[in-house]
C-alpha cells in the first residue's frame, strides 16, 4: 500500500530546465533508496540517478554535471533537478522507491506512474 505520485514533466527547449518531484505515501517503515529511471521508445529503462538514506548519490554518465537528485526524508519525497536539457533526455521518467514496510522484512520496490519529459531542438 505504497503509492508514488510524480509531477514536473513537460515540454522544454534544449538548454532549459525542469524539476521533477515524486511524493510517496502509505505504510513505510524505512526508505532504503530513492531514484529516478527513464525509458525512451525502443530503449531499455535505465537508471538516471539514485539517492541513499545516507546521502550518497549515483548518476548515469550521460547526466552527470547536469542533473541533481535530492530527497526530503520528512516528506518522503525525491526530486530531480534537470538543467542543460538535451533532446536525448526525452523519455518517460519514473521514480523508484525501495522500502522496508516491516522491521526485518524484505525490501520492496515501488514505482511512480511516470512523467513525460520532452526536449525540443
Amino acid at each position: 500500500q505504497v503509492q508514488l505520485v510524480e509531477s514536473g514533466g513537460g515540454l522544454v527547449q534544449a538548454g532549459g530546465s525542469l524539476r521533477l518531484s515524486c511524493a510517496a505515501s502509505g505504510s513505510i517503515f524505512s526508505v532504503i533508496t530513492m531514484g529516478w529511471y527513464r525509458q525512451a521508445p525502443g530503449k531499455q529503462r535505465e537508471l538516471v540517478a539514485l539517492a541513499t538514506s545516507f546521502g550518497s548519490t549515483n548518476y548515469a554518465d550521460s547526466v552527470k554535471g547536469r542533473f541533481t537528485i535530492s530527497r526530503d526524508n520528512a516528506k518522503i519525497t525525491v526530486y530531480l533537478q534537470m538543467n542543460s536539457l538535451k533532446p536525448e533526455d526525452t523519455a518517460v521518467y519514473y521514480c523508484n522507491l525501495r522500502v522496508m514496510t516491516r522491521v526485518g522484512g524484505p525490501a520492496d520496490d515501488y514505482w511512480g506512474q511516470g512523467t513525460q519529459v520532452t526536449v525540443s531542438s
Side-chain angles (χ1 to χ4, degrees), residues 2-118:
V2 176
Q3 292 83 39
L4 306 180
V5 179
E6 300 181 26
S7 62
L11 175 64
V12 65
Q13 295 187 58
S17 298
L18 285 173
R19 179 179 170 89
L20 306 183
S21 299
C22 178
S25 62
S27 181
I28 300 173
F29 176 74
S30 64
V31 177
I32 300 173
T33 61
M34 302 184 84
W36 290 94
Y37 294 74
R38 68 185 181 187
Q39 186 169 19
K43 297 178 62 179
Q44 291 288 102
R45 182 173 59 187
E46 64 175 343
L47 175 67
V48 177
L50 188 71
T52 73
S53 297
F54 304 101
S56 64
T57 57
N58 183 56
Y59 297 92
D61 289 339
S62 60
V63 307
K64 286 181 179 178
R66 300 187 298 119
F67 291 10
T68 303
I69 187 171
S70 61
R71 56 190 291 175
D72 185 328
N73 292 326
K75 298 194 298 184
I76 316 180
T77 301
V78 62
Y79 306 92
L80 186 68
Q81 179 66 46
M82 305 184 293
N83 298 325
S84 301
L85 283 162
K86 305 174 181 180
E88 64 196 66
D89 296 318
T90 296
V92 177
Y93 284 70
Y94 299 91
C95 66
N96 171 266
L97 186 69
R98 187 166 175 83
V99 304
M100 184 179 296
T101 57
R102 296 180 177 84
V103 61
D108 296 317
D109 285 301
Y110 294 88
W111 296 89
Q113 80 279 10
T115 184
Q116 177 70 49
V117 172
T118 302

